[in-house]
Every structure is written in structure tokens, then in C-alpha cells.
Amino acid sequence: MGENNFFEIREFKSLPSTNLYLKENYDEFRDFTVVIADAQTNGYGRKGREWNSSKGGLWFSFIVSTDDPFFWISCASVSIVDLFPELKIKWPNDIYFQNFKVAGILSEKIKDKIIVGVGLNVNNNINDELKDKAISLTNIYKKKFSTKNLLNRILSKIYDNSQNYENIFEKWRNYSIILGKKLTIKVSDKIYQGKVVDLLNTGELVLSDSNHKRKILYGDIIRWEEI
Ligand code: BTN
């Protein structure tokens, strides 16, 4: 890592959720405190969805004062793809291998800080009901990884990437699995279809159909296809 003591790591065998732990204790920790748990008993993802967090996966969160959450979320996602070039980013910041999700990132705001939680399937078992949607690094690379070693490599990348603002968004676009593709997306209760023509530093995707261009900040991707 460029700065040895940039991050301060707190390790736990088990926690309900590393995000929740930082959220509940945010005033005790300095910026760039990292909380990692071998397992989470109540891990959650975006929209409060359950996040399967058994032993063998990498479940961690860090806290930072910022007015630009999207910068830090993207910094985390591009740092993972820097290490594993076979992976791609599914807007906004899910990490995919082909059609399977490998990692998810959840940010939560508390006062002037955000907590960025990273869930990366490493050696953990993927449940039968998730097998058609999720995959682990072990499944992809056919080997086991040291989660502690992986954490250090990811944090080191996050530090390096965070030094260059533009570079993060450049990589975020380059690593995108949807840019240039035909996209079907649900926004509130409407479904839109079109070509993804751009991804903006604000986090918006630009969807173009025969009539006009639409900027979308929040939405659930239904599918993406080659044009
Ligand atoms: C998502 O794709 O919905 C985001 C998943 C985020 C999961 C991580 S695991 C570490 C941290 N603690 C949690 O409870 N959630 C995040």
C-alpha cells in the first residue's frame, strides 16, 4: 500500500453485518477504518436484500467522510476488477463474471460520512438457489484464495486509485459490461429499452432510443444484449 497506515483494519470472526457495525459505532472510528468479518449473520445488500455471507467470502466495510459517495463506491469496484481482469462492472457497481454476480457493493450514509460495504464471493459456497445468478472466485479460477491477502491487495488498489479522480471513472467506463449494449431497465414502475451510449461521472447511465436520450441514476437492470 502506498501509505501503510492509510487503512486501519478491525477483524472479527462473526458480526451481524460489517456495515451495520460501522453505522452503529461510526463516531468511534476514524476515516478509513476497515471492519472485516469472517462471516456475517445478517449481511444485507441494496434494497435491504439478504446477502449470503458464510465463511470463506470477503465481507468488509470502510468508513470515509465524503460528499461524493459515488467516487468511493466506484473506487472499490474498479479496484476489484483491476485485480481480476476477467470480471466486469454491471452498472452501477456490481461485479460480474459473464452473467454471474461475483461481488456487490453497498454504501450507506451516516451524517457526513459514508460506509462502503463490499461483499465478494471468494471460497464460500454458493447456495443452490443462487447458483444460476452468483459465482465465486474459486469457481472461476479453480483455486482457493487467502481472504486476508485479498483484502490487503484490494485496499492497496483502493488507495492507489483514490489518488486519481478521473482515472477511476475512466476505468469504471472501460470495465462496464453494459456500455454499448442494448439494455432493458426498470425505473420505478416503468421499463425502458435502448442502447447505453454513455456512463457519466455522476453515476448516471445514458440510454438512447429512436426518440431521445434519457439519463438514469437509479434502476434495476433486467437484461443486457449485444446489438
Ligand atoms: C448488493 O449487491 O446488494 C450489495 C451487497 C453488499 C454486501 C456487503 S458484505 C459486507 C457489507 N456488510 C453487509 O451487510 N453488506 C455489505
Side-chain angles (χ1 to χ4, degrees):
M1 198 174 310
E3 274 290 327
N4 270 339
N5 44 16
F6 187 69
F7 287 104
E8 183 179 322
I9 302 174
R10 311 270 174 134
E11 295 179 52
F12 294 83
K13 286 214 166 350
S14 175
L15 278 179
S17 152
T18 55
N19 260 47
L20 186 65
Y21 181 83
L22 274 174
K23 225 162 56 172
E24 287 177 345
N25 302 291
Y26 75 94
D27 49 358
E28 286 175 30
F29 298 120
R30 69 156 172 89
D31 275 4
F32 302 108
T33 300
V34 179
V35 171
I36 175 174
D38 293 344
Q40 299 182 120
T41 52
N42 206 5
Y44 53 91
R46 290 198 293 141
K47 302 194 172 154
R49 291 176 189 131
E50 178 186 354
W51 183 262
N52 219 296
S53 322
S54 55
K55 239 182 134 205
L58 182 57
W59 325 121
F60 74 94
S61 307
F62 63 91
I63 187 162
V64 53
S65 307
T66 183
D67 54 9
D68 190 357
F70 194 67
F71 171 82
W72 287 105
I73 306 168
S74 304
C75 189
S77 71
V78 302
S79 297
I80 294 173
V81 182
D82 276 347
L83 295 174
F84 299 101
E86 290 76 14
L87 308 184
K88 293 217 167 275
I89 297 174
K90 180 187 147 198
W91 178 91
N93 276 299
D94 284 344
I95 313 286
Y96 266 65
F97 174 73
Q98 298 166 0
N99 284 316
F100 301 91
K101 183 159 165 169
V102 189
I105 296 171
L106 170 72
S107 85
E108 297 185 272
K109 200 168 155 41
I110 177 117
K111 301 268 170 70
D112 59 339
K113 297 166 194 278
I114 59 153
I115 292 154
V116 180
V118 177
L120 173 61
N121 293 318
V122 185
N123 312 305
N124 55 302
N125 190 42
I126 305 286
N127 279 350
D128 280 348
E129 58 283 16
L130 288 174
K131 281 218 161 96
D132 57 342
K133 313 196 262 220
I135 198 166
S136 67
L137 292 181
T138 298
N139 297 149
I140 302 168
Y141 296 100
K142 314 285 178 222
K143 62 172 194 146
K144 292 222 170 220
F145 291 83
S146 150
T147 48
K148 297 291 144 66
N149 182 269
L150 213 48
L151 174 70
N152 287 326
R153 289 169 65 204
I154 292 171
L155 293 180
S156 174
K157 277 282 175 203
I158 290 177
Y159 173 79
D160 290 346
N161 280 319
S162 71
Q163 304 302 300
N164 186 338
Y165 182 87
E166 257 313 311
N167 175 46
I168 290 188
F169 296 107
E170 189 84 32
K171 285 184 180 179
W172 180 66
R173 273 183 281 277
N174 286 340
Y175 293 161
S176 173
I177 206 168
I178 63 158
L179 188 58
K181 306 262 169 77
K182 177 179 166 194
L183 192 76
T184 309
I185 186 167
K186 187 164 181 257
V187 182
S188 304
D189 53 354
K190 288 207 175 82
I191 307 267
Y192 297 110
Q193 248 190 4
K195 180 181 174 180
V196 182
V197 290
D198 205 356
L199 297 168
L200 310 178
N201 292 9
T202 51
E204 290 158 304
L205 71 78
V206 185
L207 197 67
S208 170
D209 62 23
S210 41
N211 298 320
H212 59 313
K213 282 185 181 172
R214 175 177 284 112
K215 287 183 189 171
I216 298 174
L217 188 55
Y218 300 106
D220 273 327
I221 292 179
I222 296 171
R223 64 179 169 273
W224 62 94
E225 299 155 278
E226 296 291 339
I227 291 183

